Amino acid sequence: MNRITSFEQYQQEYKRSVETPEAFWAEQAEQFTWHKKWDNVLEWNFDEPSIKWFIGGQLNITENCLDRHLEKRGNQTALIWEPNNPEDEVRKFTYKELHSEVCRFANVLKKNGAKKGDRICIYMPMIPELTIAVLACARIGAIHSVVFGGFSFKSLSDRIHDADCNVVITSDGAYRGAKEIPLKNVIDEALLTCPSVKKVIVYKHINTEVKMESGRDVWWQDEIKNSSADCPAEIMDAEDMLFILYTSGSTGKPKGVVHTIAGYMTFVDYTFRNVFQYNDGDIFWCTADVGWITGHSYLVYGPLLAGGTTLMFEGIPTYPDAGRFWQVIDKHQVAIFYTAPTAIRSLEALGLDFVKPYKLDSLKVLGTVGEPINEFAWNWYNENIGKKKCPIVDTWWQTETGGIMISPLAGITKTKPGFATLPLPGVQPILLDEQGKELQGNNVEGRLCFKFPWPGIIRTTYQNHKRCKETYFETFKGYYFTGDACKRDEEGYYHISGRVDDVIKVSGHLLGTSEIENAIDQHPDIVESAVVGFPHEIKGWGIYAFVICEHERKDADALKKEIIETVTKNMGAIAKPDKIQVVQGLPKTRSGKIMRRILRKIAEGDLSNLGDTSTLLDPSIVEEIKKGAH
Ligand code: WT7
């Protein structure tokens, strides 16, 4: 398999990728199956923005994930599934089997009226049928929009609405540790306000009773029975949409990040092979849910494009106990393990007794993603899981970048605790100061931007191109702006400091503060709220909500409980505030803008240094908030 094998080669490839990016990426794309080769590698401008890769090319990504491998690896395992309950049976699919399941389900989709260009919402547990559903959409040229199973009916219906989906794929329910989650009920509630949805295909997984609406709802198992395994792939244009994935932003409404087929495919394949240094036969385990970009790129598409073996785990790290990850690694002889810092911190906190029973000697490479990893957690991971013999790749990227941008290449380039280190070939970072001036040389800190497109870059935000432009391309003209602050140290290595906008990373999940505020404000007694993040030992960031009540409520604890329920209902359990403080007012400027800087300081417990409060409409508010802070 073609990949970078030395530091010198990394340097050469990097140089080449900057000098002749089009030739560089065209070479990476050569290996794929194309129905028609591209006419032009790249056309772009960051002003509109308009970015197109492999223009004129025609292909289907599933032929590259599946058909292309059948001859050589038809009988190799493509997918291993580890169930929530360790006593239940493992399921495995060879490339041949996965190919045939995808084709059969693609025919089910067609039979149920789905066609090229339709948007299909997938709301499923982490079971093989989720991967099959994703690939079946791509097979027929439908655009998948996977929604994380932890989102509530309200978040779900917003996403279905925004993408105007006509088909939903779900299951009766999901197992999550000892809990059962009734997914179909959530769908039913969401669909009360989504008239665009004509069909719901339900996979029976936990055998719980569900309501099936006649004419609309059908069972996966019934539909698949007589479905043929012959389904020619729809021929797609390189720049046709592959999927929409919603992510939080500074405003209340999540945005649908759009990725297109050929560029995403090329970038994810290249980054997968090089960052993880994947070798034939390695078992690769990415613990992320397919509901997030990490699951799309490195659980489904990346490993399959590379002809690898991907492991999918239905459960949670602490069920039946906090040794589950390590047990699964031994059980399946996992070679490459990719997880989130928040998982590492929470398992570290539970102690080494859960690690000791396991050998972990199959591991070769470890990875992290989603948020900064502090040095302590990095060392714990290195010593106790990697036994100091596995390079750790701290991979920096975003939903919008499609794949890994800044990261060590395992065993090839140097690692440094807390550092994402160096850009991948084809990736051109630049640090700007607040005025947009380039910070040159080393030992500088600024806003992380990119000055040249890579194939996996976001193309638009669904049905709202203006928002894409404003969010990523207008802050600094001519650059893609990430929203992150970043340091380049004396050696030229990159360290991500964190977000500079109104989003917070809670357990690695990106949440918009205004989105959480909207959810809180649904409570009938709340007139206004302001949400900020505060440093949290396990989650990275916790959620601190300041709320104003319409009338005084003596039962403060009951109120807090109700607020948490309201948020769970309107957004999902991942957005539950960790701390809620009832206040009489919020620190606002004379023009009515909430001064979040002050609230952030208070939430962090840094009461001494609140900066200038004289411009506030009512500075006395701050004193009152300080007194009630916790
Ligand atoms: C934001 C993107 C990356 C896919 C999953 C999250 C933060 C991501 C790292 C890292 C420090 C990181 C950034 C980024 N982030 N990876 N290795 N070190 N911070 O995708 O939900 O779109 O979030 O996650 O702040 O902007 P996402």
Side-chain angles (χ1 to χ4, degrees):
M1 205 178 300
N2 166 27
R3 54 177 162 76
I4 294 171
T5 55
S6 68
F7 185 65
E8 293 65 43
Q9 197 191 352
Y10 160 75
Q11 289 177 310
Q12 285 160 11
E13 289 290 278
Y14 189 81
K15 189 158 170 279
R16 189 165 76 91
S17 77
V18 173
E19 286 168 359
T20 53
E22 302 188 8
F24 175 83
W25 286 114
E27 194 178 297
Q28 309 308 328
E30 284 289 341
Q31 51 155 330
F32 294 116
T33 302
W34 295 85
H35 282 264
K36 177 178 168 287
K37 275 276 162 69
W38 55 90
D39 304 315
N40 207 350
V41 180
L42 172 66
E43 286 169 14
W44 70 287
N45 80 68
F46 274 177
D47 295 329
E48 282 179 47
S50 162
I51 304 145
K52 293 184 184 144
W53 283 90
F54 308 111
I55 303 121
Q58 291 189 327
L59 75 165
N60 186 293
I61 195 169
T62 68
E63 289 190 322
N64 287 294
C65 289
L66 302 169
D67 307 57
R68 186 169 56 118
H69 302 310
L70 290 182
E71 202 181 318
K72 199 170 141 218
R73 334 171 170 268
N75 296 319
Q76 180 202 308
T77 307
L79 174 67
I80 303 174
W81 178 71
E82 169 70 19
N84 177 64
N85 182 343
E87 310 294 319
D88 287 350
E89 209 174 312
V90 168
R91 294 170 65 194
K92 290 187 183 176
F93 296 75
T94 63
Y95 271 92
K96 264 192 204 144
E97 288 162 344
L98 189 60
H99 176 264
S100 111
E101 289 309 310
V102 168
C103 289
R104 290 174 73 203
F105 191 66
N107 281 325
V108 169
L109 287 175
K110 284 197 211 166
K111 190 182 135 210
N112 281 281
K115 51 184 194 318
K116 179 173 175 173
D118 286 354
R119 275 80 51 218
I120 297 186
C121 172
I122 303 178
Y123 186 69
M124 287 192 100
M126 285 281 282
I127 55 176
E129 284 68 23
L130 168 52
T131 302
I132 292 166
V134 164
L135 294 170
C137 289
R139 187 84 178 170
I140 66 166
I143 299 158
H144 54 79
S145 165
V146 184
V147 177
F148 173 57
F151 278 118
S152 72
F153 81 91
K154 182 71 179 44
S155 306
L156 181 61
S157 73
D158 286 350
R159 285 159 174 75
I160 293 175
H161 251 300
D162 190 80
D164 203 19
C165 298
N166 58 345
V167 177
V168 172
I169 307 169
T170 188
S171 76
D172 52 353
Y175 297 116
R176 233 186 115 66
K179 282 193 236 153
E180 289 188 1
I181 319 279
L183 295 183
K184 177 62 164 63
N185 291 356
V186 182
I187 291 282
D188 290 341
E189 202 165 352
L191 292 195
L192 292 175
T193 55
C194 298
S196 62
V197 174
K198 302 293 180 247
K199 282 284 173 191
V200 181
I201 304 174
V202 189
Y203 184 81
K204 199 184 227 355
H205 179 52
I206 68 168
N207 292 307
T208 179
E209 207 163 304
V210 295
K211 266 204 321 273
M212 295 291 279
E213 194 176 297
S214 119
R216 188 193 70 182
D217 303 353
V218 294
W219 289 107
W220 175 306
Q221 279 92 339
D222 291 344
E223 298 293 299
I224 203 89
K225 252 183 221 145
N226 299 314
S227 187
S228 149
D230 179 26
C231 181
E234 191 73 36
I235 298 174
M236 307 296 290
D237 288 337
E239 280 295 334
D240 278 339
M241 286 186 201
L242 176 61
F243 64 85
I244 306 170
L245 186 58
Y246 286 85
T247 186
S248 298
S250 298
T251 67
K253 216 175 136 230
K255 46 189 183 255
V257 172
V258 170
H259 284 289
T260 56
I261 299 167
Y264 174 81
M265 174 180 81
T266 306
F267 192 61
V268 162
D269 172 67
Y270 180 78
T271 53
F272 174 77
R273 287 184 286 112
N274 283 288
V275 170
F276 300 106
Q277 290 288 305
Y278 186 84
N279 279 305
D280 266 353
D282 286 345
I283 311 288
F284 180 87
W285 182 14
C286 164
T287 68
D289 195 286
V290 177
W292 310 108
I293 190 72
T294 310
H296 281 61
S297 300
Y298 300 110
L299 194 158
V300 179
Y301 287 113
L304 296 178
L305 285 164
T309 302
T310 183
L311 188 142
M312 178 184 219
F313 172 47
E314 181 186 21
I316 56 172
T318 49
Y319 179 81
D321 65 42
R324 186 67 191 278
F325 272 179
W326 324 129
Q327 181 251 335
V328 172
I329 289 173
D330 275 6
K331 177 172 173 185
H332 295 289
Q333 294 290 290
V334 171
I336 308 171
F337 178 66
Y338 189 34
T339 196
T342 186
I344 298 167
R345 288 190 300 265
S346 65
L347 295 175
E348 165 209 310
L350 293 167
L352 283 177
D353 285 351
F354 292 104
V355 185
K356 283 194 188 122
Y358 305 102
K359 287 212 187 78
L360 303 176
D361 56 356
S362 56
L363 287 172
K364 295 197 288 195
V365 173
L366 299 175
T368 69
V369 58
E371 49 175 326
I373 176 160
N374 52 311
E375 228 174 298
F376 191 83
W378 196 98
N379 287 324
W380 186 88
Y381 197 34
N382 183 35
E383 282 161 30
N384 299 297
I385 307 306
K387 317 286 185 198
K388 293 196 188 153
K389 64 174 181 51
C390 302
I392 298 180
V393 291
D394 175 351
T395 63
W396 180 92
W397 57 296
Q398 307 180 297
T399 304
E400 296 85 345
T401 70
I404 299 167
M405 301 285 280
I406 304 179
S407 167
L409 309 182
I412 306 292
T413 65
K414 197 170 87 170
T415 62
K416 223 178 190 184
F419 280 71
T421 73
L422 298 175
L424 264 59
V427 170
Q428 302 188 37
I430 179 169
L431 301 183
L432 303 177
D433 70 11
E434 274 174 63
Q435 281 69 48
K437 209 170 109 273
E438 174 168 4
L439 299 166
Q440 283 171 341
N442 291 339
N443 237 332
V444 287
E445 179 158 16
R447 309 291 204 239
L448 176 62
C449 297
F450 295 96
K451 56 180 163 193
F452 196 86
W454 60 98
I457 189 175
I458 179 175
R459 299 302 195 271
T460 188
T461 43
Y462 194 71
Q463 279 184 340
N464 193 348
H465 194 64
K466 191 161 155 270
R467 187 158 177 207
C468 172
K469 179 174 169 166
E470 283 168 5
T471 312
Y472 309 104
F473 298 93
E474 267 181 358
T475 317
F476 302 109
K477 207 174 146 35
Y479 301 102
Y480 169 88
F481 174 46
T482 62
D484 281 2
C486 176
K487 192 171 87 189
R488 188 164 54 223
D489 76 354
E490 58 293 342
E491 283 187 293
Y493 285 64
Y494 290 84
H495 164 88
I496 310 299
S497 329
R499 302 291 308 185
V500 294
D501 49 5
D502 287 329
V503 295
I504 37 181
K505 273 262 150 174
V506 182
S507 299
H509 299 143
L510 195 72
L511 301 174
T513 51
S514 63
E515 219 179 317
I516 307 173
E517 288 159 9
N518 288 348
I520 293 174
D521 296 349
Q522 302 297 316
H523 188 288
D525 290 353
I526 303 297
V527 262
E528 196 178 3
S529 60
V531 164
V532 295
F534 69 96
H536 187 288
E537 231 171 82
I538 304 283
K539 299 183 181 184
W541 289 91
I543 301 171
Y544 196 127
F546 299 88
V547 303
I548 304 175
C549 250
E550 195 165 35
H551 47 81
E552 199 186 342
R553 290 252 320 231
K554 296 267 184 260
D555 52 344
D557 286 344
L559 173 68
K560 286 180 189 173
K561 227 176 118 219
E562 289 165 27
I563 291 176
I564 287 173
E565 278 163 17
T566 309
V567 172
T568 306
K569 190 165 145 242
N570 286 293
M571 208 169 150
I574 49 173
K576 282 195 299 208
D578 298 278
K579 293 183 179 179
I580 299 171
Q581 181 182 349
V582 181
V583 295
Q584 300 300 318
L586 292 164
K588 288 190 179 168
T589 60
R590 281 167 225 274
S591 61
K593 197 168 167 283
I594 298 174
M595 297 275 279
R596 285 167 198 282
R597 177 177 55 78
I598 293 175
L599 293 177
R600 264 185 232 122
K601 288 268 183 205
I602 295 174
E604 280 169 29
D606 181 5
L607 302 183
S608 59
N609 179 25
L610 295 183
D612 184 14
T613 54
S614 63
T615 57
L616 290 179
L617 192 60
D618 178 2
S620 72
I621 290 282
V622 176
E623 291 311 309
E624 181 238 312
I625 299 180
K626 269 163 77 174
K627 273 192 217 116
H630 51 110

